Amino acid sequence: MHQLINFQDLNFLLYDFLNVESLLQFPRYADHNRQTFDAVIETAEKLAEKYFLPHNAKADENEPEFDGHQVKIIPEVKQAIDEYAAAGFIAARHDYELGGMQLPATIASAFQSYFFSANPGTAGYPFLTTAAANLISNFASETQKQQYLPQLLSGKFFGTMALTEPEAGSSLGDLKTSAKADENSDSFLIKGQKMFISGGEHQLSENIIHLVLARIKGAPAGVKGISLFIVPKFLVDECGNIKEKNDVQLAGLIHKMGYRGTTSTVLNFGEKGHCQGFLIGEPNQGLKYMFMMMNEARIGVGLGAASIGYRGYLNSLAYARERTQGRLPSNRDASSPPLHLIEHADIRRMLLAQKAYVEGGMALCLYAAKLMDEAEASPNAKDRAEALQLLDLLTPVVKSFPSKYATKANDLAIQVLGGSGYTRDYPVEQCYRDNRLNPIHEGTEGIQALDLLGRKLWLNDSTAFGQLIKLIKATIALTDKDDNTLQPLSHLLSDSVDRLSKVTRKVAQSLGSQQAGTIDKTLANASLYLDSFSKVVVSWMWLQQASLAQQKLTLTDTDAHQRDFLQGKMQAAHYFIEWKLPTVHHDLMLVEQNNAVCFSMQGSWF
Amino acid sequence: MHQLINFQDLNFLLYDFLNVESLLQFPRYADHNRQTFDAVIETAEKLAEKYFLPHNAKADENEPEFDGHQVKIIPEVKQAIDEYAAAGFIAARHDYELGGMQLPATIASAFQSYFFSANPGTAGYPFLTTAAANLISNFASETQKQQYLPQLLSGKFFGTMALTEPEAGSSLGDLKTSAKADENSDSFLIKGQKMFISGGEHQLSENIIHLVLARIKGAPAGVKGISLFIVPKFLVDECGNIKEKNDVQLAGLIHKMGYRGTTSTVLNFGEKGHCQGFLIGEPNQGLKYMFMMMNEARIGVGLGAASIGYRGYLNSLAYARERTQGRLPSNRDASSPPLHLIEHADIRRMLLAQKAYVEGGMALCLYAAKLMDEAEASPNAKDRAEALQLLDLLTPVVKSFPSKYATKANDLAIQVLGGSGYTRDYPVEQCYRDNRLNPIHEGTEGIQALDLLGRKLWLNDSTAFGQLIKLIKATIALTDKDDNTLQPLSHLLSDSVDRLSKVTRKVAQSLGSQQAGTIDKTLANASLYLDSFSKVVVSWMWLQQASLAQQKLTLTDTDAHQRDFLQGKMQAAHYFIEWKLPTVHHDLMLVEQNNAVCFSMQGSWF
């Protein structure tokens, strides 16, 4: 019994559902094969269980503390990350020349899920470091790469993303941190305060490389005047050797409900007037660079959410199989032995819902990761472009669906355990608290909804949306046969897709009006649209899995254990598509009629 | 701006919606009037703000600790409860002769909501004490009343409810704690372990009176063999003076995710073989006594949930009115000033949903409390019987709807605050953790669902259900007029009620079959039914409020502030009935077709 991620499921998702071996045809991944992929994933599972899982609760109970001199973190965190770095995981996707493994994002996501499941707080540090390394690798100068990249990829330096300010969160265009060209050097003088900076201060690494969004003096207002800077905690020479401390000060630690293992900080840049920052790329292009990496960060958030949900699911499943309580409603014999929880239909409902959310979320994140691989490494330019467009469209869904529904799964995990689930003696309450961050950071659910309905749908004349509908219809066609037991599911999905397409066209017309009032009113219900769109996409994930499971069940060499697993996939597809999908009709009707209940509510009426 | 409960809303619910002054006709409440009611509520608000609210976060951060000798609790808790007791709140509903105020449950619930909102952990102790006092007052002997009642009502002694055991939670019939008649006295020797006992050990009161469910040697198996005992921490003489310590030992404290201010304990009764318990009423009738008080306890849980939700709602509302961020989607001028959060439609959606859940939940709980008053104090026997039947039917809804939806409201409160909401610098994260207990204790949501669909609906030939439908239809008729702007809402509610009635008849047929398989399959989807039933009932609460608000808006003496409030009521009714109610059609369809996705799922398929 796997306790972090079910390897049988991961196997099914990678090799059956996604046919990840198709990526081996790309020159970048040519040296790999299924064995190397599996070896990496197995190593991850072992490291996660040995070094990450054991201190998950301890790090939660003993959150980072500032003692007046430095931020203290329990020693197990550093040990775990050192092991992670030593195994090459920070550099997993990077070039061989940089010490990387040139692994596809799909495989990187698969192994990463074990660490997120075992200990999202500790896994946060290398995750941010990988993200910073990717940004530098893609957009920084050769000198900058030389200074920072090897140190980040080896885990000697850690990275952060310093975007949010006290007055600029969802609205990044309002950020105030300033950058002034230093006449005496090639650097800029940075001044400002950043907030909610994860991993902003600690003693886990020799240096911390902050990637800071700031506004160069005289730059245009809003997002068009934002530049990106490398601001190291310690300045470094050309070879990345550490020099004197930079003017970056910890202003305070933020105390969170969950994810407590990851320090969250308020940082002051340039309090003493000499904080040096080094411009990445061109001035005023900072948000563009940041957002080009955002697909990956947002898949990471979705994957983290799905993984934490997965941990709760497996934990409550194990509990439901062991714990006995009560009898079937029809059984009035008080002296008969009590049943295992899993024999109660309502417990199975809560387990099935969790399974549908977390395995569906995992399928979605891995699918997005594969699109990223195709967008980056396919030798065919048209394939690259198509994959990127589809990925862009799906990113708000990949970020928000698991964040919302895997958190619901964690809620259900508590409910399966009952009173025990509400105590700190079981891990499910921490999962619930940890996962609650995910609908907030890296763009709240409301921001994702506006990104989808206000922007992503309409890029390139909605090519990506058309492509998505085509792909979904192809899956429907596979199972839409009278003798197929999945036909009812294909019909339900077909009805929803048609409805979604129709409502999307209607929205396009409203937005096309170019009238401010109409635009605002139409986008007022973006969250409803995002939720419906997401349910359609995840239903598609499930119908594909069910269809595959159905095929594999007809094979004679499928053993009993595998048959059980495949039956479970079919049942979870039934659950999601029969129980959860059909509510989109009501929600899309509200979108279609531009229902104005929220839009017309007045602040003074509350 | 009220921060705990909006007094304007409470006023509207008590005097307009419920016409609570009609209770003044009952002899028991004859000495009261609107002024005495308001005075009690205002006193509660003041005490809650002065003594309960300030240490809510502190008690959460410094949960009760056992130092090897005693359970340590921060001193503010005792001070607050002493003030509460001194104001007469523990005895609020009891007879004048006992030092009580003879207040209706409706008013008691109204004042109690302030304490639950301010500090549910501290409010837990007197709530349990009141419940224990009620049980003793209703079922114990005159001698027992003399020994314990004055002490409980004055707050000198505190009470607990000791039901759950390590192996008997939802299935109380399996409890093992034994009671053996002591040949040397009128007492029983109690032996066993109880778990999750709130307020089970502390130094807040001179004595703790445990009401313990146990099985007398030789009693029948299951719920029919359970008796109820008074088991005091310290034995008392006939006048309630404290004697020697009884054999009740603290086996451990339980550490919870929230509600940390209330100790949760494991208690060993009779470890040394001489734990004395005193039988209440007749042997083997214990569960009946306990459940006759359960209506009140379950209303209390629903009210507590609604109140915690209310606190989060008011806090996020205040934040949304102060905090500025971003602009309308149509505004591309980055130099224009940012808007208050409340100007964003998606923020208003989250505030409206909270308002609909918590004010709807509060209306429901107060309505149930008024039914309790009618059932207890109406001079007319038929009215008493009808009120009790309706209350019995609604109790699972009153317990579960606020527990589920006010917890969702707390989730939305966090989302309104964004990153700040996830920190411990704001109260909303604690509300979210505290409220998560409510869908679990006093009967989980699944247990409530079985209670409704397996039992309550069918009592007395479904008289209560028929009465409920009649009442709802009367409200619908009020607003079902072509020139009434609420007509669309009345139609939506009418459609849902018809659907609910139809499906209920169908379920009745299935259950009537008496076949075990059919019964289990039908009850498998009880949670879906409960949720739909609850949404219909709460929509009824909202349509009544909207209809009243509409009438009051036509009055010329309604001032601007009041008009705003009434418009808000109308809008929240639109939100709940247009956005949330219509999903019952899909869920009830699953119930109607006996959808077997969960029922037929096999444990081995997970």
Side-chain angles (χ1 to χ4, degrees), chain B residues 98 136-137 140-152 157 230 236-241:
Chain B
L98 288 164
I136 287 173
S137 160
S141 68
E142 286 309 313
T143 315
Q144 289 170 334
K145 286 185 199 176
Q146 201 174 305
Q147 286 178 293
Y148 303 105
L149 205 48
Q151 320 280 38
L152 286 165
F157 294 0
I230 295 173
V236 302
D237 69 16
E238 282 172 17
C239 306
N241 296 306

Side-chain angles (χ1 to χ4, degrees), chain B residues 154-230:
Chain B
S154 66
K156 269 179 79 175
F157 294 0
F158 282 7
T160 79
M161 302 288 205
L163 285 69
T164 303
E165 298 179 3
E167 298 302 323
S170 290
S171 179
L172 274 178
D174 289 322
L175 64 80
K176 297 267 185 294
T177 296
S178 67
K180 188 182 156 196
D182 184 1
E183 289 161 14
N184 308 317
S185 74
D186 61 346
S187 71
F188 285 75
L189 287 172
I190 308 291
K191 197 164 176 51
Q193 190 174 64
K194 294 287 177 178
M195 191 171 180
F196 296 127
I197 307 311
S198 296
E201 179 54 21
H202 53 70
Q203 311 295 318
L204 300 170
S205 57
E206 294 175 20
N207 202 354
I208 302 175
I209 309 305
H210 305 289
L211 296 180
V212 177
L213 290 182
R215 192 180 294 287
I216 297 173
K217 300 277 179 188
V223 295
K224 290 175 186 164
I226 296 176
S227 303
L228 179 62
F229 297 87
I230 295 173

Side-chain angles (χ1 to χ4, degrees), chain B residues 47 82-93 99-101 103 111 153:
Chain B
L47 285 191
D82 286 350
E83 292 287 340
Y84 180 100
F89 285 130
I90 295 178
R93 293 189 54 219
M101 294 195 262
L103 278 170
F111 80 66
L153 292 177

Side-chain angles (χ1 to χ4, degrees), chain A residues 63 165-171 174 195-196 221-223 254-260 313 317 321 323-331 334-335 338 342 345-346 348-349 351-352 355 407-408 411-412 414-415 418-420 422-425 429 432-437 439-440 444-446 450 516 519-520 523-525 527-528 564-565 567-569 571 574-575 578-580 582-583 586-587 590 593 595-606, chain B residues 63 165-171 174 195-196 221-223 254-260 313 317 321 323-331 334-335 338 342 345-346 348-349 351-352 355 407-408 411-412 414-415 418-420 422-425 429 432-437 439-440 444-446 450 516-517 519-520 523-525 527-528 564-565 567-569 571 574-575 578-580 582-583 586-587 590 593 595-606:
Chain A
E63 66 187 331
E165 298 180 3
E167 299 301 323
S170 291
S171 179
D174 288 322
M195 193 172 179
F196 296 128
V223 295
I254 294 166
H255 299 96
K256 305 190 295 297
M257 174 165 70
Y259 248 104
R260 294 187 178 193
Y313 164 56
L317 176 59
R321 283 184 165 144
R323 166 86 175 171
T324 60
Q325 191 79 182
R327 292 156 194 84
L328 293 183
S330 64
N331 179 359
S335 63
I342 204 166
D346 197 54
R348 287 204 294 262
R349 171 184 67 82
L351 292 171
L352 256 181
K355 182 179 169 77
T407 303
K408 281 185 199 284
D411 181 58
L412 292 168
I414 291 179
Q415 198 68 15
S420 296
Y422 193 65
T423 72
R424 275 127 65 199
D425 295 332
E429 69 86 26
Y432 179 69
R433 286 185 290 111
D434 287 350
N435 224 346
R436 186 61 188 82
L437 177 59
I440 298 172
T444 62
E445 200 178 303
L450 285 175
I519 290 172
D520 293 335
L523 293 178
N525 295 334
S527 289
L528 281 179
D564 279 343
F565 170 78
Q567 291 284 3
K569 282 287 182 192
Q571 202 78 1
H574 275 281
Y575 177 82
E578 286 179 21
W579 285 52
K580 295 293 156 188
T583 57
H586 170 64
D587 288 344
L590 294 174
Q593 66 186 201
N595 184 292
V597 168
C598 300
F599 184 71
S600 63
M601 179 69 183
Q602 300 298 305
S604 59
W605 295 355
F606 281 106
Chain B
E63 66 187 332
E165 298 179 3
E167 298 302 323
S170 290
S171 179
D174 289 322
M195 191 171 180
F196 296 127
V223 295
I254 294 166
H255 298 96
K256 306 189 294 296
M257 174 167 69
Y259 249 102
R260 294 187 178 194
Y313 164 56
L317 175 59
R321 284 185 165 142
R323 167 86 175 172
T324 59
Q325 191 80 184
R327 291 156 194 83
L328 292 182
S330 62
N331 180 358
S335 63
I342 203 166
D346 197 55
R348 288 205 293 265
R349 171 184 67 82
L351 292 170
L352 257 180
K355 182 179 168 77
T407 303
K408 282 186 199 286
D411 181 58
L412 291 168
I414 291 178
Q415 197 69 16
S420 295
Y422 194 66
T423 71
R424 276 128 63 199
D425 295 332
E429 69 86 23
Y432 179 70
R433 286 186 289 110
D434 287 350
N435 225 346
R436 185 62 188 83
L437 176 59
I440 298 172
T444 64
E445 200 178 304
L450 286 175
I519 289 172
D520 293 335
L523 293 177
N525 295 334
S527 289
L528 280 180
D564 281 342
F565 170 77
Q567 290 285 3
K569 281 288 181 191
Q571 202 78 1
H574 276 281
Y575 177 81
E578 286 179 20
W579 285 52
K580 295 293 157 186
T583 56
H586 170 65
D587 288 344
L590 294 174
Q593 67 187 199
N595 183 292
V597 168
C598 301
F599 185 72
S600 63
M601 178 70 185
Q602 301 298 304
S604 59
W605 295 354
F606 281 106

Side-chain angles (χ1 to χ4, degrees), chain B residues 117 122 247 337 478 519 576:
Chain B
S117 175
T122 297
D247 180 11
L478 277 181
I519 289 172
F576 195 81

Side-chain angles (χ1 to χ4, degrees), chain B residues 545-565:
Chain B
Q545 292 185 67
S547 175
L548 261 170
Q550 190 181 47
Q551 288 164 40
K552 287 172 76 80
L553 278 165
T554 63
L555 304 178
T556 49
D557 63 344
T558 306
D559 67 20
H561 179 60
Q562 182 73 354
R563 300 188 82 81
D564 281 342
F565 170 77

